[in-house]
Amino acid sequence: MAMIKPSFPWPGFALAMMACIILASLGVDLIYVALVLLVWIGSLYLVAARPDEARPKPQGPAFTRDNMADLFEHSETPVVITERDRAIIANLSARQLLGGHIVGQDVRMALRQPEAIRLLGRDVDGGAVVRGLARRTDIWRINRKTLPGELAVIEFVNKTAEADIARAHTDFVANASHELRTPLASIIGYVETLREDVDNLDPRMAAKFLGTIQREAKRLQDLVSDLMSLSRIEAVKHDLPDTTLDLAKLAERAAHDAANGERLELLDFEATGEFPVRGDRQQLEQLVRNLVDNGFKYGEPGQTVTVRIHPKGDNRLRLTVTDRGEGIAAEHIPHLTRRFYRTDPGRSRASGGTGLGLAIVKHIVERHRGRLDIDSTPGEGTRVTVTLPLEKQDEDD
């Protein structure tokens, strides 16, 4: 057994020296005193030395192919282990992605992607980005790590969501820039016209130009306001509101605000009781105002907009806003909550719409753990339904 290097026992050495000094003072021959000191020091050294501590041997089975398979089986990331480019292990995610037949198959034949085949053909560590691995539009990064024994671990990382988010941001910036540029161009154009011929301009023409400037400036203001609202809602969309509100009273007030003026006579509102919900007051009011305002904008002039709040089962409520207008073709309905999507851009802009109203409604509904449904029949009108969970009340209340 190996010995570790001891530390010198200074206290014992000091005691030995004192004993030897006493012996010398008693007249003992110095040779004998020196021998006693040498033996004492040697004894101290041997006592101080101690063997290495025994290290426990690792317990459990050796690392085998079977427990390698168990290790990766339930990972969300698809993983394939190959031996000389033949798949010997594929976890559940990899089998769902590439098919169960990949086990035992040459992985290059299973992938059939030029970038992946070049990566595997180099027989070195590295990565490659491939498109259309499972679906035409998906994007995956393939990482390869070589192991001893002609083994390799191939990992598949799904980059589709990241690419979709980047593309959505790009589209959003492009659409927002276009929407902002249009009213700004009108404002600048009319202002330049007024300045060029301010002395000779007919007052009626000047009033018309100023009216257009005011209308476009208001449209610009509404657009910026909606963009800011959407940004604020997205920033807190994962935070469940903690305030309990009566949706019936809130919705009635917001609906009357949206239908102010001459349109108030055309508003048909009904709520059958009280409907407590956990919600953000400002956001829920904005939701109702947007839906009622859309009903009047896109319904036929002079037609009623109906708002109803009814229970749906024991735990949910249903808010519906129905207009009587031209309706919306079925192919447009799945896209209505996209930012800046318009079925009729000319009509939407003429009515003062920003193209963000339903996008804002969708995000508010999602934050409140609800559901948004849109039904429309061309020639008859459109109905928007919002389903929200009711807040449970204590029996003593």
Side-chain angles (χ1 to χ4, degrees):
M1 183 177 292
M3 305 290 288
I4 66 171
K5 184 179 181 180
S7 60
F8 193 79
W10 289 108
F13 176 75
L15 183 61
M17 288 297 296
M18 290 178 61
C20 290
I21 292 171
I22 293 172
L23 290 174
S25 65
L26 294 175
V28 178
D29 194 317
L30 294 178
I31 293 176
Y32 293 111
V33 172
L35 289 174
V36 170
L37 178 62
L38 182 63
V39 172
W40 200 323
I41 293 174
S43 300
L44 291 173
Y45 185 88
L46 292 175
V47 170
R50 59 184 183 275
D52 289 334
E53 295 181 359
R55 297 181 179 178
K57 295 182 179 180
Q59 301 296 320
F63 201 61
T64 65
R65 290 186 182 181
D66 290 338
N67 54 32
M68 285 175 68
D70 293 338
L71 178 65
F72 294 114
E73 177 64 13
H74 298 292
S75 171
E76 293 184 1
T77 301
V79 175
V80 175
I81 299 176
T82 63
E83 182 178 29
R84 294 189 295 274
D85 291 330
R86 188 170 299 278
I88 58 173
I89 296 172
N91 69 351
L92 178 61
S93 297
R95 296 195 301 273
Q96 291 174 343
L97 175 66
L98 303 170
H101 61 275
I102 188 175
V103 179
Q105 189 177 13
D106 190 315
V107 71
R108 293 169 295 182
M109 295 297 295
L111 297 179
R112 297 180 181 275
Q113 294 284 341
E115 297 86 352
I117 292 174
R118 281 194 293 269
L119 170 65
L120 301 176
R122 292 196 299 268
D123 197 27
V124 294
D125 297 347
V129 176
V130 300
R131 298 175 181 272
L133 187 61
R135 293 177 296 275
R136 186 174 58 86
T137 58
D138 62 6
I139 300 173
W140 292 81
R141 177 171 179 82
I142 302 177
N143 299 315
R144 183 177 190 269
K145 174 65 178 178
T146 58
L147 299 174
E150 298 186 283
L151 298 176
V153 177
I154 302 175
E155 175 191 46
F156 299 82
V157 182
N158 193 345
K159 297 290 186 179
T160 308
E162 294 180 15
D164 289 344
I165 292 172
R167 185 164 51 250
H169 286 173
T170 301
D171 292 344
F172 175 72
V173 171
N175 288 330
S177 300
H178 174 74
E179 294 292 335
L180 291 168
R181 186 169 57 246
T182 303
L184 281 173
S186 297
I187 292 171
I188 292 171
Y190 281 107
V191 169
E192 288 177 348
T193 302
L194 288 172
R195 293 191 62 186
E196 287 174 358
D197 198 15
V198 64
D199 295 330
N200 302 319
L201 193 64
D202 181 71
R204 288 178 299 179
M205 186 64 67
K208 180 180 179 181
F209 285 0
L210 290 172
T212 301
I213 292 172
Q214 183 180 26
R215 184 173 63 251
E216 293 297 329
K218 178 63 168 58
R219 176 182 162 196
L220 194 61
Q221 182 184 44
D222 292 343
L223 181 58
V224 172
S225 177
D226 279 355
L227 285 171
M228 293 178 65
S229 293
L230 190 58
S231 178
R232 286 193 296 267
I233 294 166
E234 288 185 326
V236 297
K237 68 179 180 180
H238 297 298
D239 301 332
L240 184 65
D242 55 6
T243 304
T244 301
L245 307 167
D246 180 5
L247 186 69
K249 294 180 180 178
L250 180 148
E252 184 175 15
R253 182 171 57 253
H256 281 81
D257 289 344
N260 59 0
E262 298 178 355
R263 303 191 307 190
L264 192 58
E265 297 179 355
L266 301 175
L267 176 66
D268 180 10
F269 182 92
E270 180 183 290
T272 57
E274 296 183 355
F275 296 91
V277 298
R278 289 181 66 184
D280 183 302
R281 180 181 301 276
Q282 184 177 2
Q283 290 184 6
L284 290 175
E285 288 178 347
Q286 186 173 17
L287 179 150
V288 175
R289 284 197 302 269
N290 282 5
L291 293 180
V292 173
D293 188 53
N294 278 354
F296 283 114
K297 282 179 180 176
Y298 304 115
E300 289 294 334
Q303 292 295 316
T304 301
V305 171
T306 302
V307 181
R308 295 285 185 267
I309 305 179
H310 293 151
K312 183 179 181 182
D314 296 330
N315 301 317
R316 303 179 76 80
L317 66 86
R318 182 172 56 200
L319 164 69
T320 61
V321 179
T322 307
D323 68 58
R324 292 157 183 81
E326 296 180 2
I328 304 168
E331 62 268 20
H332 292 295
I333 290 178
H335 309 289
L336 291 176
T337 56
R338 286 169 44 191
R339 299 165 182 170
F340 302 112
Y341 186 85
R342 294 182 173 94
T343 59
D344 185 349
R347 182 184 176 189
S348 178
R349 292 192 178 96
S351 62
T354 63
L356 294 171
L358 285 177
I360 291 173
V361 168
K362 181 191 75 169
H363 283 81
I364 293 174
V365 171
E366 289 177 350
R367 187 195 174 195
H368 289 76
R369 310 302 189 261
R371 174 175 174 172
L372 175 66
D373 295 293
I374 303 174
D375 300 306
S376 187
T377 303
E380 296 183 12
T382 302
R383 180 178 62 191
V384 180
T385 303
V386 174
T387 306
L388 296 175
L390 287 168
E391 178 70 357
K392 294 182 179 179
Q393 299 293 297
D394 295 335
E395 294 181 359
D396 296 336
D397 291 351

mmCIF file of all heavy atoms in Angstrom, residues 190-202 206 209:
data_model
loop_
_atom_site.group_PDB
_atom_site.id
_atom_site.type_symbol
_atom_site.label_atom_id
_atom_site.label_comp_id
_atom_site.label_asym_id
_atom_site.label_seq_id
_atom_site.Cartn_x
_atom_site.Cartn_y
_atom_site.Cartn_z
ATOM 1 N N TYR A 190 -49.706 67.553 -48.751
ATOM 2 C CA TYR A 190 -50.669 68.648 -48.638
ATOM 3 C C TYR A 190 -50.053 69.880 -47.981
ATOM 4 O O TYR A 190 -50.366 71.022 -48.348
ATOM 5 C CB TYR A 190 -51.902 68.185 -47.857
ATOM 6 C CG TYR A 190 -52.856 67.383 -48.695
ATOM 7 C CD1 TYR A 190 -52.985 66.007 -48.532
ATOM 8 C CD2 TYR A 190 -53.635 67.996 -49.686
ATOM 9 C CE1 TYR A 190 -53.854 65.260 -49.307
ATOM 10 C CE2 TYR A 190 -54.515 67.254 -50.463
ATOM 11 C CZ TYR A 190 -54.616 65.889 -50.280
ATOM 12 O OH TYR A 190 -55.481 65.162 -51.060
ATOM 13 N N VAL A 191 -49.172 69.674 -46.999
ATOM 14 C CA VAL A 191 -48.502 70.824 -46.379
ATOM 15 C C VAL A 191 -47.629 71.543 -47.394
ATOM 16 O O VAL A 191 -47.600 72.787 -47.450
ATOM 17 C CB VAL A 191 -47.676 70.352 -45.160
ATOM 18 C CG1 VAL A 191 -46.757 71.479 -44.675
ATOM 19 C CG2 VAL A 191 -48.594 69.915 -44.036
ATOM 20 N N GLU A 192 -46.900 70.794 -48.212
ATOM 21 C CA GLU A 192 -46.066 71.426 -49.239
ATOM 22 C C GLU A 192 -46.919 72.214 -50.233
ATOM 23 O O GLU A 192 -46.545 73.323 -50.657
ATOM 24 C CB GLU A 192 -45.253 70.357 -49.968
ATOM 25 C CG GLU A 192 -44.129 69.775 -49.125
ATOM 26 C CD GLU A 192 -43.398 68.658 -49.849
ATOM 27 O OE1 GLU A 192 -43.923 68.189 -50.895
ATOM 28 O OE2 GLU A 192 -42.319 68.243 -49.379
ATOM 29 N N THR A 193 -48.076 71.673 -50.599
ATOM 30 C CA THR A 193 -48.971 72.387 -51.525
ATOM 31 C C THR A 193 -49.466 73.694 -50.911
ATOM 32 O O THR A 193 -49.507 74.738 -51.571
ATOM 33 C CB THR A 193 -50.166 71.487 -51.894
ATOM 34 O OG1 THR A 193 -49.681 70.282 -52.485
ATOM 35 C CG2 THR A 193 -51.091 72.205 -52.875
ATOM 36 N N LEU A 194 -49.835 73.637 -49.626
ATOM 37 C CA LEU A 194 -50.309 74.846 -48.953
ATOM 38 C C LEU A 194 -49.210 75.902 -48.872
ATOM 39 O O LEU A 194 -49.456 77.100 -49.065
ATOM 40 C CB LEU A 194 -50.805 74.498 -47.549
ATOM 41 C CG LEU A 194 -52.133 73.731 -47.468
ATOM 42 C CD1 LEU A 194 -52.394 73.280 -46.034
ATOM 43 C CD2 LEU A 194 -53.294 74.596 -47.951
ATOM 44 N N ARG A 195 -47.993 75.484 -48.630
ATOM 45 C CA ARG A 195 -46.909 76.448 -48.478
ATOM 46 C C ARG A 195 -46.500 77.071 -49.816
ATOM 47 O O ARG A 195 -46.083 78.221 -49.872
ATOM 48 C CB ARG A 195 -45.692 75.765 -47.843
ATOM 49 C CG ARG A 195 -45.908 75.338 -46.404
ATOM 50 C CD ARG A 195 -44.614 74.926 -45.770
ATOM 51 N NE ARG A 195 -43.670 76.057 -45.733
ATOM 52 C CZ ARG A 195 -42.404 75.951 -45.327
ATOM 53 N NH1 ARG A 195 -41.935 74.767 -44.955
ATOM 54 N NH2 ARG A 195 -41.611 77.010 -45.297
ATOM 55 N N GLU A 196 -46.613 76.295 -50.891
ATOM 56 C CA GLU A 196 -46.193 76.811 -52.199
ATOM 57 C C GLU A 196 -47.104 77.922 -52.711
ATOM 58 O O GLU A 196 -46.656 78.837 -53.397
ATOM 59 C CB GLU A 196 -46.162 75.656 -53.215
ATOM 60 C CG GLU A 196 -44.999 74.694 -53.004
ATOM 61 C CD GLU A 196 -45.101 73.498 -53.928
ATOM 62 O OE1 GLU A 196 -46.101 73.430 -54.694
ATOM 63 O OE2 GLU A 196 -44.212 72.620 -53.889
ATOM 64 N N ASP A 197 -48.393 77.853 -52.406
ATOM 65 C CA ASP A 197 -49.338 78.831 -52.971
ATOM 66 C C ASP A 197 -50.267 79.348 -51.879
ATOM 67 O O ASP A 197 -51.471 79.461 -52.064
ATOM 68 C CB ASP A 197 -50.145 78.166 -54.095
ATOM 69 C CG ASP A 197 -50.800 79.206 -55.002
ATOM 70 O OD1 ASP A 197 -50.397 80.384 -54.935
ATOM 71 O OD2 ASP A 197 -51.718 78.823 -55.740
ATOM 72 N N VAL A 198 -49.677 79.675 -50.717
ATOM 73 C CA VAL A 198 -50.482 80.052 -49.585
ATOM 74 C C VAL A 198 -51.252 81.349 -49.807
ATOM 75 O O VAL A 198 -52.350 81.535 -49.295
ATOM 76 C CB VAL A 198 -49.586 80.156 -48.326
ATOM 77 C CG1 VAL A 198 -48.567 81.274 -48.477
ATOM 78 C CG2 VAL A 198 -50.434 80.341 -47.077
ATOM 79 N N ASP A 199 -50.711 82.276 -50.625
ATOM 80 C CA ASP A 199 -51.376 83.571 -50.828
ATOM 81 C C ASP A 199 -52.555 83.484 -51.786
ATOM 82 O O ASP A 199 -53.529 84.234 -51.645
ATOM 83 C CB ASP A 199 -50.368 84.604 -51.345
ATOM 84 C CG ASP A 199 -49.285 84.909 -50.311
ATOM 85 O OD1 ASP A 199 -49.594 84.821 -49.109
ATOM 86 O OD2 ASP A 199 -48.141 85.197 -50.716
ATOM 87 N N ASN A 200 -52.455 82.616 -52.785
ATOM 88 C CA ASN A 200 -53.481 82.563 -53.827
ATOM 89 C C ASN A 200 -54.428 81.368 -53.671
ATOM 90 O O ASN A 200 -55.281 81.157 -54.548
ATOM 91 C CB ASN A 200 -52.817 82.507 -55.216
ATOM 92 C CG ASN A 200 -51.920 83.705 -55.452
ATOM 93 O OD1 ASN A 200 -52.270 84.842 -55.096
ATOM 94 N ND2 ASN A 200 -50.757 83.471 -56.065
ATOM 95 N N LEU A 201 -54.277 80.583 -52.626
ATOM 96 C CA LEU A 201 -55.076 79.368 -52.484
ATOM 97 C C LEU A 201 -56.513 79.708 -52.096
ATOM 98 O O LEU A 201 -56.752 80.539 -51.219
ATOM 99 C CB LEU A 201 -54.459 78.456 -51.416
ATOM 100 C CG LEU A 201 -55.000 77.026 -51.370
ATOM 101 C CD1 LEU A 201 -54.697 76.274 -52.648
ATOM 102 C CD2 LEU A 201 -54.400 76.276 -50.178
ATOM 103 N N ASP A 202 -57.445 79.114 -52.798
ATOM 104 C CA ASP A 202 -58.862 79.306 -52.504
ATOM 105 C C ASP A 202 -59.167 78.813 -51.093
ATOM 106 O O ASP A 202 -58.730 77.714 -50.701
ATOM 107 C CB ASP A 202 -59.695 78.527 -53.530
ATOM 108 C CG ASP A 202 -61.184 78.710 -53.283
ATOM 109 O OD1 ASP A 202 -61.697 79.798 -53.532
ATOM 110 O OD2 ASP A 202 -61.799 77.723 -52.799
ATOM 111 N N ALA A 206 -58.219 75.288 -49.379
ATOM 112 C CA ALA A 206 -57.347 75.216 -48.206
ATOM 113 C C ALA A 206 -58.027 74.434 -47.083
ATOM 114 O O ALA A 206 -57.393 73.621 -46.397
ATOM 115 C CB ALA A 206 -56.993 76.624 -47.737
ATOM 116 N N PHE A 209 -57.823 70.780 -47.880
ATOM 117 C CA PHE A 209 -56.486 70.250 -47.633
ATOM 118 C C PHE A 209 -56.244 70.065 -46.135
ATOM 119 O O PHE A 209 -55.706 69.043 -45.690
ATOM 120 C CB PHE A 209 -55.423 71.193 -48.206
ATOM 121 C CG PHE A 209 -55.308 71.129 -49.711
ATOM 122 C CD1 PHE A 209 -56.116 70.281 -50.454
ATOM 123 C CD2 PHE A 209 -54.389 71.921 -50.379
ATOM 124 C CE1 PHE A 209 -56.018 70.232 -51.839
ATOM 125 C CE2 PHE A 209 -54.277 71.876 -51.754
ATOM 126 C CZ PHE A 209 -55.094 71.025 -52.496
#
